[in-house]
Every structure is written in structure tokens, then in C-alpha cells.
Amino acid sequence: MNAQFRKARIRQSNISWRRPLTMMLSTLVLGVATGLSSGLLALLLKSVESLFLNFNESPSLPGPFNTPWLWRTASVVIGGIIAAVIWWLLRNRAKTVPTVGQAVKGRDMPVWQTIVHVSTQIFLVGTGASIGREVAPREAGAMLGGLWVRACRRIGLREDDRRLLVAAAAGAGFAGIYISPLTGALFSIEILLKRISTTTVAVSFSMAAIAAWVGGMIHGTDPYYATGTQDFQTPLLLFVLIAAPLAGYIGGCFAKATSWAEQRKTTDVHILWQLPLAALLTAVVSIWGPAVMGNGRALAQIAMNATQSPAVLSIVLLGAVKAVLTILTIRSGASGGTLTPSIALGASTGAALGAVWNLAAQNMTTSGSTLPGIPIWQCAIVGAVALLSASQQAPLMALMMLMEISHLPITALGPLGLATCLGVVSSRLVLASSVSGDSQQTPSPFLPKSDGLPRH
């Protein structure tokens, strides 16, 4: 009996150690794999931009401003035609590629179809179409996570581990392309998993950190947005109280519109003319404002660099047009994200409100009163984080993303944290109306879904 008892204890000890070791191995392998995939996607984007638009994206040159307008037109239209053909074939002649939320719930992502689907998203953004690129590395990470789980069930991975590893790999893919480990981990925890435990936090943060390190070695660790160097002062909190609710309300409207477009996305043969038409509209607008092209980095950077009121007014118009073009691109059949377009819209909104604030400060100073001026770039950051948190309904992820990709100082956490809170609260005024106005009492597509993943 004692011998049998010792053997049972040994077997139990082996089982108890097997899962932690397996999870550690899985975290390491998937962190490296997703970092490689994100790095390769970043290189693909740079290659497409260089070939089609003849420019190399950077904080100092975030858009194809020096590319002739005919070249820009040809690039985005050709990109729209090629992407339309590929997506029509994928959606009507091949196995369907599930969303990241569906993959986390258990659906397998077909390998070659997912690779083509992901690469097409990056290609379309690189040619100048108005849509975000962040969904592609998430889907690539989710695919790798699913493959690893299927291959390693014999070494101790349980079916319960699938959800965690696939979600963590999706977040790690995000971290690897933006070099933002906290953002990637929070995407997994806050949006996909919606639960916190020791294992969830350890796996998500570790995998995202590894992926960010590997991705950084491939395509660099420079800040995604170049900002000023002024300290975040207390007077900025007064601006936040005014600007963040307005930016959040706009973010709610943008989320509502993009969800509408996603639900009615063209998938049949009509994509062959609708997506190229949306690309042509983008090209026409880019003749006047090339900042509307791409995922939104160019427009956001311009807003952060703005110093004069007339320039800011034109940025507001570009932001509104950018939002419309993104909605049309999604509606016409494109797959992609709205994260960086949200940042662009929020930054342009914040910059405009900052210009009005500074103009009022100048007038009050002339009349003898005092109202502190605020750097426009800080106003743009406030608008960006408020609108992003509202459109994604993920306040922690939005806050950490702007902090990480802009390399902001720790003093920014106070005003940006307040902006995040106010943005989310005000957005609920828009999103809640989707429920109250529904006479059939159906679940709203604009409030957080059961899988936690925004439809766009």
C-alpha cells in the first residue's frame, strides 16, 4: 500500500509540474514566433510603401507627401483592385478565415488562407487605402497560437489552455508590430479574455514582451509618433475636462458607424468594383490632402506637429474626411482595423480644441486675465487617447498604447488617465442609444460583445 501510495504521489507530482513547464515553453515559443511574424509584416508594409508610393515611412515622414499625385492615385487604385480580387476569391472560393474572437472561442484558422488574408491587409494599407493595419498581426498571432495548441496537446496542454494561448498570441502579435508589450498584453486580457488571474497575466505579459523584443530587433524601436518635450502640467487637466468628453462622444459615433459598415461589408462579386471605387475616392481626396492615405499615422503626426490655428482647422476637415473614407473602405469589403484611424481622428479633434483654447488664452492675457496656454501636441494626445478608448471600449489598452508608442513620460499618466475615463463614459451616451432605440430588444452590435472583440 505504501509503494502504491508513493507511486500515486509521484504521478501526481509529475502532472502538477507538467502544465507549468508546458505553459512556460508555449509562452517562449509563441512569443518568438509572433514577434517574427509581426516583424515580417512590418517589413512587408515598408516594402509595399517603397514600391508603390516611393517613400519610407518614419515619424519625420509619416505619409507620401513628396510622391506625385498621379503616382499616389495609381498606387491606391491598383492596390484596391488587387485586394478586391484576392478577398473575393478567399471569401467565395476558399475556407473562411475566422475572426480573432472566433479563434479564441475554438475555431481553427486555416493556414494558407490566413496568411494570404493577413498579407492582403498589409498590402492594401501599404498602397495607401484608408484603413488600419493592426488586425493583421493579431490574426497571424492567433493562427500561430492555434497551430501550437493543436501540435502540443500530447505534452500537457489542455483544451482549457487554448483560449489563453490563442488570445495571448493575438496580443503578442500586436505588441510585436507596435513594440508595445503592455498594450498587447492588455488587449489579450481586457478585450479577448476579460478575466484576470495569475496565469493569465503572466502568460499574456511575458509573451507580449518577448514578441516586442523580437519585433524590435527586426524593424526597430523608434517611437511611432514623435511628440514634443514639454512636461505635462496641471493646467492640462482643465483642458481634459472639456476636450475628453467631446472626443469620447465622437469616438462613440465613429465606433457605431464602423460597426454598421462591418455588418454590411460587401463579400460577393460587388467587391470587385466597390473596393476599387473606395480606393479611387481616397486617391481623389489625397490630391488635396495626402495625409488621409494609409492607416492614419500621417494625419495624427501632422496634428501633433501643428502650431498655428489655420493649419489646425484644415486638420479637422482632414480628420472628418479620413473617418468617412475608412467607413467606406470597410463597407466596400476591406478587412482591417480602425485603431490608428481612431487615433488620427482623435488627434485632429484634440489639436483643434487646443488651438481654440490657446486663442482664448491669448485674448484673456490681453484683457488682463490669465489662462495658461497648452502645447498643441499635448492637446492632440489627449484627444487621441480619449477617442481611441471610446471607439475600442478598452480604456487600459488605449492609455498604454499612446504611452508606449509615443514614448511619453510617466507624468502623462494623470491627464491621459482622466481623458480615458471621460472618453469612455461619454461614448456610452452614443452606444447606449443603440439599445434604447431598438424596438425588438435585440443585442446592440455597438456595445461590448460576448467575445469582447470589437467587430471592426
Side-chain angles (χ1 to χ4, degrees):
M1 289 293 294
N2 290 335
Q4 293 178 351
F5 180 75
R6 285 196 298 270
K7 290 180 180 179
R9 288 286 300 272
I10 292 174
R11 285 196 300 269
Q12 184 65 33
S13 177
N14 291 336
I15 293 173
S16 64
W17 276 102
R18 180 182 298 177
R19 183 170 181 263
L21 290 175
T22 301
M23 293 300 288
M24 291 172 60
L25 176 63
S26 300
T27 300
L28 176 61
V29 171
L30 287 176
V32 173
T34 53
L36 287 172
S37 67
S38 296
L40 293 175
L41 289 175
L43 294 180
L44 174 61
L45 178 66
K46 292 181 179 180
S47 299
V48 173
E49 288 176 337
S50 178
L51 177 63
F52 279 79
L53 289 170
N54 193 32
F55 94 105
N56 295 314
E57 182 179 328
S58 67
S60 59
L61 186 64
F65 305 125
N66 300 327
T67 304
W69 71 270
L70 280 176
W71 197 325
R72 294 198 302 263
T73 299
S75 171
V76 70
V77 171
I78 291 173
I81 293 172
I82 293 175
V85 173
I86 293 175
W87 272 322
W88 177 71
L89 291 173
L90 275 180
R91 293 165 181 169
N92 296 277
R93 298 290 187 272
K95 190 174 180 180
T96 302
V97 178
T99 65
V100 172
Q102 292 169 340
V104 170
K105 286 185 172 182
R107 288 189 59 181
D108 292 334
M109 302 190 76
V111 178
W112 74 262
Q113 292 95 331
T114 301
I115 293 174
V116 173
H117 176 63
V118 164
S119 300
T120 303
Q121 294 178 50
I122 298 296
F123 169 79
L124 185 63
V125 174
T127 59
S130 180
I131 197 166
R133 65 169 179 165
E134 74 277 358
V135 172
R138 294 174 185 170
E139 292 179 339
M143 179 197 72
L144 292 171
L147 287 175
W148 175 258
V149 171
R150 292 198 298 272
C152 297
R153 282 174 178 162
R154 293 185 178 180
I155 63 172
L157 284 181
R158 305 182 308 204
E159 187 63 29
D160 294 342
D161 298 326
R162 178 192 178 96
R163 180 179 175 86
L164 171 57
L165 290 177
V166 172
F174 185 95
I177 203 165
Y178 284 108
I179 318 302
S180 52
L182 290 175
T183 307
L186 287 171
F187 171 78
S188 304
I189 297 171
E190 187 177 24
I191 293 183
L192 293 177
L193 297 172
K194 287 188 175 296
R195 71 171 186 265
I196 296 178
S197 67
T198 302
T199 302
T200 296
V201 172
V203 171
S204 298
F205 275 88
S206 300
M207 195 183 299
I210 295 171
W213 176 65
V214 173
M217 290 194 300
I218 295 175
H219 61 91
T221 58
D222 293 334
Y224 195 69
Y225 297 114
T227 61
T229 58
Q230 298 96 328
D231 291 334
F232 285 76
Q233 302 291 339
T234 302
L236 183 61
L237 294 174
L238 299 176
F239 175 79
V240 170
L241 293 175
I242 299 173
L246 178 58
Y249 188 86
I250 296 173
C253 294
F254 185 56
K256 188 173 181 178
T258 52
S259 294
W260 170 87
E262 180 69 30
Q263 290 178 341
R264 292 160 178 79
K265 176 188 295 184
T266 301
T267 58
D268 57 17
V269 70
H270 294 293
I271 191 177
L272 298 176
W273 65 267
Q274 290 184 6
L275 186 54
L277 179 59
L280 179 60
L281 291 174
T282 302
V284 171
V285 176
S286 72
I287 297 174
W288 167 66
V292 301
M293 300 184 74
N295 67 346
R297 180 184 188 180
L299 180 57
Q301 188 64 69
I302 289 177
M304 294 175 192
N305 294 341
T307 57
Q308 298 179 352
S309 298
V312 171
L313 293 178
S314 64
I315 292 173
V316 173
L317 180 57
L318 283 175
V321 174
K322 173 71 176 176
V324 172
L325 290 173
T326 302
I327 294 167
L328 290 176
T329 301
I330 295 172
R331 174 64 178 83
S332 61
S335 292
T338 60
L339 194 151
T340 38
S342 295
I343 293 177
L345 180 58
S348 60
T349 301
L353 294 174
V356 174
W357 176 281
N358 288 337
L359 182 61
Q362 292 176 4
N363 293 335
M364 291 182 68
T365 301
T366 302
S367 63
S369 302
T370 58
L371 181 67
I374 302 173
I376 292 293
W377 73 266
Q378 293 185 0
C379 300
I381 289 288
V382 167
V385 73
L387 198 146
L388 177 63
S389 61
S391 66
Q392 302 294 308
Q393 291 296 293
L396 291 177
M397 186 198 76
L399 175 61
M400 285 299 103
M401 181 173 186
L402 266 298
M403 292 289 295
E404 287 187 306
I405 66 177
S406 302
H407 294 190
L408 296 176
I410 195 68
T411 53
L413 276 176
L416 295 190
L418 178 60
T420 299
C421 177
L422 295 177
V424 171
V425 170
S426 63
S427 71
R428 293 302 176 97
L429 298 176
V430 180
L431 304 183
S433 66
S434 302
V435 177
S436 61
D438 189 350
S439 60
Q440 297 181 352
Q441 302 295 319
T442 56
S444 170
F446 312 121
L447 291 175
K449 275 68 62 181
S450 59
D451 61 4
L453 188 67
R455 294 181 185 272
H456 47 277

